Amino acid sequence: MVHNIFKGLGIALVTPFNEDGSVDYASLLQLLEYQLNNGADFFCILGTTAETPCLTSEEKNKIKQLVVDKVGGRVPILMGCGGNNTAMIVNELQTGDFRGIDGILSVCPYYNKPSQEGIYQHFKAIAGATKLPVVLYNVPGRTGVNITAATTVRLARDCNNIVAIKEAGGSLEQVDEIIKNKPNDFDVISGDDALTFPMISCGAVGVISVIGNALPREFSKMIRLEFKGEYDGARKIHHKFTDLFSLLFVDGNPAGVKAMLHEMGMINNILRLPLVPTRISTLQRMSEIMKELKI
């Protein structure tokens, strides 16, 4: 039986860029070290926050190898491998180089808008194409389709290497339904920083976090307090960052967290089109809150 090892604070790793638009590998290395030293329990690479659709195959391969070499087995690495062409993903899983990767994160097919049966068959084919643990990714705000609780539980029961779901559907009711009906060896991971506190209180085992790029120590402390049942202390941290959570996403992800990391002097505030930097008004408010919080 394959077990989920992606628990606690996972970092949805950004891709820093140089002024000329090329990947800033030096800043990426510094980010990794900063996060490893401040509470990161695992990394999620080449996902939404990494601007993966705008990276070349060569850049993706170089980022993957750089992260594997830098992490050196200290924490698990989850790598994005998904899309809306099932056969292409299956081929990638069967022929690609996944050395140093501990699991794959596969997003619900987008644009095609499949039925629940189509979603089930899609992920069943993916699970059958790899021996690696598979984490489903439900984010209907981006894909246009929700993986229902019933489909999630069905996949968890039928595919022994589907070990968890990253839930970013915004519905605590759906999260609760999954946790109530899931097999014991299947986990729910928060995909929404703002809902991580209530999701863990419902039984989620961690988060794949955007704000963790910038504030891994603070966010991991909240999670660890919750795991120990110290909800009052965890709630205080959650409320401390409520305003930042909304500002991070008001102009799209990863525009908010890149602006935050830039304010902290860690990366350039550069994204690849069609994404653009956050608005000046958002940046100013974010800067004010960071000063208030002494970040």
Side-chain angles (χ1 to χ4, degrees), residues 9 34 38-39 211-212 214-225 233-234 237-238 240-241 260 264 293-295:
L9 175 63
Y34 166 70
N38 286 281
I211 201 172
L215 303 175
R217 179 178 295 176
E218 293 85 349
F219 211 48
S220 67
K221 182 179 179 182
M222 183 193 80
I223 293 166
R224 284 162 171 72
L225 286 171
I237 297 174
H238 167 69
K240 183 178 177 182
F241 295 128
M260 191 172 182
M264 296 169 70
L293 297 177
K294 299 180 180 179
I295 298 171

PDB file of all heavy atoms in Angstrom, residues 9 34 38-39 211-212 214-225 233-234 237-238 240-241 260 264 293-295:
ATOM      1  N   LEU A   9       3.528  21.671   6.140  1.00  0.00           N
ATOM      2  CA  LEU A   9       3.638  22.830   5.263  1.00  0.00           C
ATOM      3  C   LEU A   9       4.318  22.462   3.952  1.00  0.00           C
ATOM      4  O   LEU A   9       5.523  22.189   3.923  1.00  0.00           O
ATOM      5  CB  LEU A   9       4.428  23.957   5.941  1.00  0.00           C
ATOM      6  CG  LEU A   9       4.708  25.174   5.050  1.00  0.00           C
ATOM      7  CD1 LEU A   9       3.402  25.859   4.622  1.00  0.00           C
ATOM      8  CD2 LEU A   9       5.634  26.165   5.736  1.00  0.00           C
ATOM      9  N   TYR A  34      16.075  29.219   2.175  1.00  0.00           N
ATOM     10  CA  TYR A  34      15.289  29.991   3.144  1.00  0.00           C
ATOM     11  C   TYR A  34      14.098  29.181   3.650  1.00  0.00           C
ATOM     12  O   TYR A  34      13.823  29.127   4.853  1.00  0.00           O
ATOM     13  CB  TYR A  34      14.829  31.288   2.474  1.00  0.00           C
ATOM     14  CG  TYR A  34      13.741  32.042   3.199  1.00  0.00           C
ATOM     15  CD1 TYR A  34      13.986  32.691   4.401  1.00  0.00           C
ATOM     16  CD2 TYR A  34      12.453  32.128   2.655  1.00  0.00           C
ATOM     17  CE1 TYR A  34      12.982  33.403   5.053  1.00  0.00           C
ATOM     18  CE2 TYR A  34      11.452  32.837   3.295  1.00  0.00           C
ATOM     19  CZ  TYR A  34      11.722  33.468   4.501  1.00  0.00           C
ATOM     20  OH  TYR A  34      10.722  34.167   5.141  1.00  0.00           O
ATOM     21  N   ASN A  38      13.225  27.267   7.454  1.00  0.00           N
ATOM     22  CA  ASN A  38      12.149  27.929   8.195  1.00  0.00           C
ATOM     23  C   ASN A  38      10.841  27.157   8.193  1.00  0.00           C
ATOM     24  O   ASN A  38       9.765  27.752   8.250  1.00  0.00           O
ATOM     25  CB  ASN A  38      11.938  29.341   7.647  1.00  0.00           C
ATOM     26  CG  ASN A  38      13.038  30.307   8.047  1.00  0.00           C
ATOM     27  OD1 ASN A  38      13.044  30.813   9.171  1.00  0.00           O
ATOM     28  ND2 ASN A  38      13.983  30.534   7.149  1.00  0.00           N
ATOM     29  N   GLY A  39      10.923  25.833   8.154  1.00  0.00           N
ATOM     30  CA  GLY A  39       9.735  25.043   8.437  1.00  0.00           C
ATOM     31  C   GLY A  39       9.071  24.320   7.295  1.00  0.00           C
ATOM     32  O   GLY A  39       8.035  23.676   7.503  1.00  0.00           O
ATOM     33  N   ILE A 211       1.484  31.521   0.436  1.00  0.00           N
ATOM     34  CA  ILE A 211       2.123  32.458   1.369  1.00  0.00           C
ATOM     35  C   ILE A 211       3.352  31.840   2.036  1.00  0.00           C
ATOM     36  O   ILE A 211       4.248  32.542   2.484  1.00  0.00           O
ATOM     37  CB  ILE A 211       1.117  32.952   2.430  1.00  0.00           C
ATOM     38  CG1 ILE A 211       1.586  34.272   3.044  1.00  0.00           C
ATOM     39  CG2 ILE A 211       0.874  31.900   3.510  1.00  0.00           C
ATOM     40  CD1 ILE A 211       0.566  34.940   3.953  1.00  0.00           C
ATOM     41  N   GLY A 212       3.411  30.519   2.052  1.00  0.00           N
ATOM     42  CA  GLY A 212       4.570  29.826   2.613  1.00  0.00           C
ATOM     43  C   GLY A 212       5.869  30.154   1.902  1.00  0.00           C
ATOM     44  O   GLY A 212       6.951  30.002   2.467  1.00  0.00           O
ATOM     45  N   ALA A 214       6.885  33.074   1.265  1.00  0.00           N
ATOM     46  CA  ALA A 214       7.423  34.253   1.942  1.00  0.00           C
ATOM     47  C   ALA A 214       7.495  34.096   3.455  1.00  0.00           C
ATOM     48  O   ALA A 214       8.414  34.600   4.096  1.00  0.00           O
ATOM     49  CB  ALA A 214       6.576  35.477   1.596  1.00  0.00           C
ATOM     50  N   LEU A 215       6.507  33.397   4.044  1.00  0.00           N
ATOM     51  CA  LEU A 215       6.400  33.314   5.502  1.00  0.00           C
ATOM     52  C   LEU A 215       6.317  31.861   5.973  1.00  0.00           C
ATOM     53  O   LEU A 215       5.378  31.474   6.663  1.00  0.00           O
ATOM     54  CB  LEU A 215       5.170  34.090   5.977  1.00  0.00           C
ATOM     55  CG  LEU A 215       5.094  35.561   5.578  1.00  0.00           C
ATOM     56  CD1 LEU A 215       3.760  36.156   6.006  1.00  0.00           C
ATOM     57  CD2 LEU A 215       6.250  36.347   6.171  1.00  0.00           C
ATOM     58  N   PRO A 216       7.303  31.041   5.626  1.00  0.00           N
ATOM     59  CA  PRO A 216       7.222  29.629   6.006  1.00  0.00           C
ATOM     60  C   PRO A 216       7.251  29.400   7.514  1.00  0.00           C
ATOM     61  O   PRO A 216       6.549  28.527   8.023  1.00  0.00           O
ATOM     62  CB  PRO A 216       8.442  29.002   5.321  1.00  0.00           C
ATOM     63  CG  PRO A 216       9.395  30.146   5.120  1.00  0.00           C
ATOM     64  CD  PRO A 216       8.524  31.338   4.864  1.00  0.00           C
ATOM     65  N   ARG A 217       8.034  30.181   8.233  1.00  0.00           N
ATOM     66  CA  ARG A 217       8.156  29.956   9.679  1.00  0.00           C
ATOM     67  C   ARG A 217       6.835  30.216  10.388  1.00  0.00           C
ATOM     68  O   ARG A 217       6.367  29.411  11.199  1.00  0.00           O
ATOM     69  CB  ARG A 217       9.240  30.853  10.273  1.00  0.00           C
ATOM     70  CG  ARG A 217       9.401  30.668  11.785  1.00  0.00           C
ATOM     71  CD  ARG A 217      10.513  31.548  12.340  1.00  0.00           C
ATOM     72  NE  ARG A 217      11.803  31.152  11.804  1.00  0.00           N
ATOM     73  CZ  ARG A 217      12.946  31.795  12.060  1.00  0.00           C
ATOM     74  NH1 ARG A 217      12.941  32.866  12.826  1.00  0.00           N
ATOM     75  NH2 ARG A 217      14.080  31.361  11.545  1.00  0.00           N
ATOM     76  N   GLU A 218       6.181  31.322  10.033  1.00  0.00           N
ATOM     77  CA  GLU A 218       4.936  31.693  10.697  1.00  0.00           C
ATOM     78  C   GLU A 218       3.806  30.726  10.343  1.00  0.00           C
ATOM     79  O   GLU A 218       3.038  30.295  11.200  1.00  0.00           O
ATOM     80  CB  GLU A 218       4.547  33.126  10.299  1.00  0.00           C
ATOM     81  CG  GLU A 218       5.491  34.201  10.806  1.00  0.00           C
ATOM     82  CD  GLU A 218       6.690  34.425   9.893  1.00  0.00           C
ATOM     83  OE1 GLU A 218       6.909  33.608   8.963  1.00  0.00           O
ATOM     84  OE2 GLU A 218       7.419  35.409  10.107  1.00  0.00           O
ATOM     85  N   PHE A 219       3.724  30.369   9.046  1.00  0.00           N
ATOM     86  CA  PHE A 219       2.621  29.519   8.620  1.00  0.00           C
ATOM     87  C   PHE A 219       2.800  28.089   9.126  1.00  0.00           C
ATOM     88  O   PHE A 219       1.833  27.433   9.505  1.00  0.00           O
ATOM     89  CB  PHE A 219       2.497  29.550   7.100  1.00  0.00           C
ATOM     90  CG  PHE A 219       1.081  29.381   6.614  1.00  0.00           C
ATOM     91  CD1 PHE A 219       0.046  30.120   7.168  1.00  0.00           C
ATOM     92  CD2 PHE A 219       0.772  28.490   5.602  1.00  0.00           C
ATOM     93  CE1 PHE A 219      -1.261  29.977   6.734  1.00  0.00           C
ATOM     94  CE2 PHE A 219      -0.524  28.333   5.153  1.00  0.00           C
ATOM     95  CZ  PHE A 219      -1.547  29.078   5.724  1.00  0.00           C
ATOM     96  N   SER A 220       4.035  27.610   9.146  1.00  0.00           N
ATOM     97  CA  SER A 220       4.274  26.259   9.664  1.00  0.00           C
ATOM     98  C   SER A 220       4.001  26.198  11.162  1.00  0.00           C
ATOM     99  O   SER A 220       3.536  25.173  11.682  1.00  0.00           O
ATOM    100  CB  SER A 220       5.707  25.800   9.369  1.00  0.00           C
ATOM    101  OG  SER A 220       6.649  26.568  10.080  1.00  0.00           O
ATOM    102  N   LYS A 221       4.239  27.303  11.875  1.00  0.00           N
ATOM    103  CA  LYS A 221       3.943  27.333  13.311  1.00  0.00           C
ATOM    104  C   LYS A 221       2.451  27.158  13.544  1.00  0.00           C
ATOM    105  O   LYS A 221       2.031  26.423  14.450  1.00  0.00           O
ATOM    106  CB  LYS A 221       4.432  28.644  13.927  1.00  0.00           C
ATOM    107  CG  LYS A 221       4.197  28.715  15.437  1.00  0.00           C
ATOM    108  CD  LYS A 221       4.714  30.022  16.026  1.00  0.00           C
ATOM    109  CE  LYS A 221       4.460  30.088  17.526  1.00  0.00           C
ATOM    110  NZ  LYS A 221       4.924  31.378  18.110  1.00  0.00           N
ATOM    111  N   MET A 222       1.624  27.826  12.721  1.00  0.00           N
ATOM    112  CA  MET A 222       0.181  27.686  12.861  1.00  0.00           C
ATOM    113  C   MET A 222      -0.233  26.227  12.679  1.00  0.00           C
ATOM    114  O   MET A 222      -1.027  25.689  13.463  1.00  0.00           O
ATOM    115  CB  MET A 222      -0.541  28.549  11.823  1.00  0.00           C
ATOM    116  CG  MET A 222      -2.058  28.522  11.941  1.00  0.00           C
ATOM    117  SD  MET A 222      -2.908  29.232  10.504  1.00  0.00           S
ATOM    118  CE  MET A 222      -2.822  27.830   9.362  1.00  0.00           C
ATOM    119  N   ILE A 223       0.303  25.591  11.665  1.00  0.00           N
ATOM    120  CA  ILE A 223      -0.046  24.198  11.369  1.00  0.00           C
ATOM    121  C   ILE A 223       0.379  23.285  12.505  1.00  0.00           C
ATOM    122  O   ILE A 223      -0.383  22.413  12.952  1.00  0.00           O
ATOM    123  CB  ILE A 223       0.610  23.767  10.039  1.00  0.00           C
ATOM    124  CG1 ILE A 223      -0.015  24.557   8.887  1.00  0.00           C
ATOM    125  CG2 ILE A 223       0.462  22.265   9.815  1.00  0.00           C
ATOM    126  CD1 ILE A 223       0.768  24.458   7.590  1.00  0.00           C
ATOM    127  N   ARG A 224       1.581  23.471  13.017  1.00  0.00           N
ATOM    128  CA  ARG A 224       2.093  22.620  14.088  1.00  0.00           C
ATOM    129  C   ARG A 224       1.289  22.791  15.379  1.00  0.00           C
ATOM    130  O   ARG A 224       1.055  21.822  16.104  1.00  0.00           O
ATOM    131  CB  ARG A 224       3.577  22.899  14.315  1.00  0.00           C
ATOM    132  CG  ARG A 224       4.471  22.278  13.246  1.00  0.00           C
ATOM    133  CD  ARG A 224       5.863  22.912  13.209  1.00  0.00           C
ATOM    134  NE  ARG A 224       6.776  22.181  12.341  1.00  0.00           N
ATOM    135  CZ  ARG A 224       6.721  22.160  11.009  1.00  0.00           C
ATOM    136  NH1 ARG A 224       5.788  22.856  10.381  1.00  0.00           N
ATOM    137  NH2 ARG A 224       7.600  21.463  10.299  1.00  0.00           N
ATOM    138  N   LEU A 225       0.878  24.022  15.652  1.00  0.00           N
ATOM    139  CA  LEU A 225       0.032  24.247  16.826  1.00  0.00           C
ATOM    140  C   LEU A 225      -1.297  23.504  16.682  1.00  0.00           C
ATOM    141  O   LEU A 225      -1.784  22.892  17.640  1.00  0.00           O
ATOM    142  CB  LEU A 225      -0.213  25.742  17.010  1.00  0.00           C
ATOM    143  CG  LEU A 225       0.967  26.572  17.548  1.00  0.00           C
ATOM    144  CD1 LEU A 225       0.646  28.061  17.469  1.00  0.00           C
ATOM    145  CD2 LEU A 225       1.296  26.170  18.982  1.00  0.00           C
ATOM    146  N   GLY A 233      -3.792  29.381  19.900  1.00  0.00           N
ATOM    147  CA  GLY A 233      -2.555  29.946  19.359  1.00  0.00           C
ATOM    148  C   GLY A 233      -2.532  29.918  17.845  1.00  0.00           C
ATOM    149  O   GLY A 233      -2.100  30.881  17.191  1.00  0.00           O
ATOM    150  N   ALA A 234      -3.015  28.815  17.272  1.00  0.00           N
ATOM    151  CA  ALA A 234      -3.062  28.703  15.816  1.00  0.00           C
ATOM    152  C   ALA A 234      -4.024  29.722  15.212  1.00  0.00           C
ATOM    153  O   ALA A 234      -3.741  30.338  14.178  1.00  0.00           O
ATOM    154  CB  ALA A 234      -3.482  27.285  15.430  1.00  0.00           C
ATOM    155  N   ILE A 237      -2.554  33.223  14.793  1.00  0.00           N
ATOM    156  CA  ILE A 237      -1.703  33.357  13.603  1.00  0.00           C
ATOM    157  C   ILE A 237      -2.569  33.462  12.354  1.00  0.00           C
ATOM    158  O   ILE A 237      -2.317  34.284  11.470  1.00  0.00           O
ATOM    159  CB  ILE A 237      -0.725  32.171  13.503  1.00  0.00           C
ATOM    160  CG1 ILE A 237       0.214  32.160  14.715  1.00  0.00           C
ATOM    161  CG2 ILE A 237       0.076  32.242  12.202  1.00  0.00           C
ATOM    162  CD1 ILE A 237       1.113  30.947  14.793  1.00  0.00           C
ATOM    163  N   HIS A 238      -3.602  32.630  12.285  1.00  0.00           N
ATOM    164  CA  HIS A 238      -4.527  32.665  11.148  1.00  0.00           C
ATOM    165  C   HIS A 238      -5.132  34.060  10.989  1.00  0.00           C
ATOM    166  O   HIS A 238      -5.138  34.633   9.889  1.00  0.00           O
ATOM    167  CB  HIS A 238      -5.630  31.623  11.367  1.00  0.00           C
ATOM    168  CG  HIS A 238      -6.805  31.753  10.451  1.00  0.00           C
ATOM    169  ND1 HIS A 238      -6.735  31.480   9.105  1.00  0.00           N
ATOM    170  CD2 HIS A 238      -8.093  32.140  10.697  1.00  0.00           C
ATOM    171  CE1 HIS A 238      -7.925  31.676   8.551  1.00  0.00           C
ATOM    172  NE2 HIS A 238      -8.757  32.082   9.496  1.00  0.00           N
ATOM    173  N   LYS A 240      -3.992  36.834  12.133  1.00  0.00           N
ATOM    174  CA  LYS A 240      -2.919  37.796  11.892  1.00  0.00           C
ATOM    175  C   LYS A 240      -2.704  38.021  10.390  1.00  0.00           C
ATOM    176  O   LYS A 240      -2.375  39.118   9.947  1.00  0.00           O
ATOM    177  CB  LYS A 240      -1.638  37.266  12.547  1.00  0.00           C
ATOM    178  CG  LYS A 240      -0.428  38.172  12.461  1.00  0.00           C
ATOM    179  CD  LYS A 240       0.723  37.514  13.209  1.00  0.00           C
ATOM    180  CE  LYS A 240       1.996  38.330  13.113  1.00  0.00           C
ATOM    181  NZ  LYS A 240       3.126  37.655  13.801  1.00  0.00           N
ATOM    182  N   PHE A 241      -2.928  36.955   9.610  1.00  0.00           N
ATOM    183  CA  PHE A 241      -2.635  37.027   8.180  1.00  0.00           C
ATOM    184  C   PHE A 241      -3.879  37.113   7.300  1.00  0.00           C
ATOM    185  O   PHE A 241      -3.778  37.018   6.075  1.00  0.00           O
ATOM    186  CB  PHE A 241      -1.801  35.811   7.759  1.00  0.00           C
ATOM    187  CG  PHE A 241      -0.444  35.766   8.397  1.00  0.00           C
ATOM    188  CD1 PHE A 241      -0.009  34.639   9.061  1.00  0.00           C
ATOM    189  CD2 PHE A 241       0.393  36.868   8.341  1.00  0.00           C
ATOM    190  CE1 PHE A 241       1.237  34.600   9.660  1.00  0.00           C
ATOM    191  CE2 PHE A 241       1.642  36.842   8.936  1.00  0.00           C
ATOM    192  CZ  PHE A 241       2.069  35.708   9.597  1.00  0.00           C
ATOM    193  N   MET A 260       5.173  40.354  -2.671  1.00  0.00           N
ATOM    194  CA  MET A 260       5.565  40.228  -1.266  1.00  0.00           C
ATOM    195  C   MET A 260       7.040  39.825  -1.144  1.00  0.00           C
ATOM    196  O   MET A 260       7.793  40.407  -0.354  1.00  0.00           O
ATOM    197  CB  MET A 260       4.670  39.175  -0.604  1.00  0.00           C
ATOM    198  CG  MET A 260       4.768  39.119   0.892  1.00  0.00           C
ATOM    199  SD  MET A 260       3.482  37.996   1.520  1.00  0.00           S
ATOM    200  CE  MET A 260       3.785  38.157   3.275  1.00  0.00           C
ATOM    201  N   MET A 264      10.385  41.896   0.326  1.00  0.00           N
ATOM    202  CA  MET A 264      11.315  41.311   1.284  1.00  0.00           C
ATOM    203  C   MET A 264      12.740  41.231   0.734  1.00  0.00           C
ATOM    204  O   MET A 264      13.652  40.753   1.416  1.00  0.00           O
ATOM    205  CB  MET A 264      10.834  39.905   1.673  1.00  0.00           C
ATOM    206  CG  MET A 264       9.498  39.906   2.407  1.00  0.00           C
ATOM    207  SD  MET A 264       8.776  38.240   2.586  1.00  0.00           S
ATOM    208  CE  MET A 264       9.920  37.513   3.777  1.00  0.00           C
ATOM    209  N   LEU A 293       3.092  44.044  10.750  1.00  0.00           N
ATOM    210  CA  LEU A 293       3.405  42.722  11.295  1.00  0.00           C
ATOM    211  C   LEU A 293       4.899  42.535  11.543  1.00  0.00           C
ATOM    212  O   LEU A 293       5.332  41.465  11.979  1.00  0.00           O
ATOM    213  CB  LEU A 293       2.907  41.640  10.320  1.00  0.00           C
ATOM    214  CG  LEU A 293       1.396  41.592  10.074  1.00  0.00           C
ATOM    215  CD1 LEU A 293       1.063  40.537   9.039  1.00  0.00           C
ATOM    216  CD2 LEU A 293       0.644  41.321  11.380  1.00  0.00           C
ATOM    217  N   LYS A 294       5.698  43.586  11.209  1.00  0.00           N
ATOM    218  CA  LYS A 294       7.145  43.560  11.394  1.00  0.00           C
ATOM    219  C   LYS A 294       7.795  42.451  10.583  1.00  0.00           C
ATOM    220  O   LYS A 294       8.686  41.744  11.058  1.00  0.00           O
ATOM    221  CB  LYS A 294       7.494  43.436  12.879  1.00  0.00           C
ATOM    222  CG  LYS A 294       6.977  44.599  13.716  1.00  0.00           C
ATOM    223  CD  LYS A 294       7.346  44.439  15.182  1.00  0.00           C
ATOM    224  CE  LYS A 294       6.815  45.623  15.984  1.00  0.00           C
ATOM    225  NZ  LYS A 294       7.121  45.516  17.432  1.00  0.00           N
ATOM    226  N   ILE A 295       7.328  42.310   9.323  1.00  0.00           N
ATOM    227  CA  ILE A 295       7.923  41.329   8.413  1.00  0.00           C
ATOM    228  C   ILE A 295       8.987  42.043   7.590  1.00  0.00           C
ATOM    229  O   ILE A 295       8.686  42.996   6.874  1.00  0.00           O
ATOM    230  CB  ILE A 295       6.835  40.723   7.486  1.00  0.00           C
ATOM    231  CG1 ILE A 295       5.808  39.982   8.352  1.00  0.00           C
ATOM    232  CG2 ILE A 295       7.453  39.782   6.474  1.00  0.00           C
ATOM    233  CD1 ILE A 295       4.594  39.539   7.564  1.00  0.00           C
TER     234      ILE A 295
END
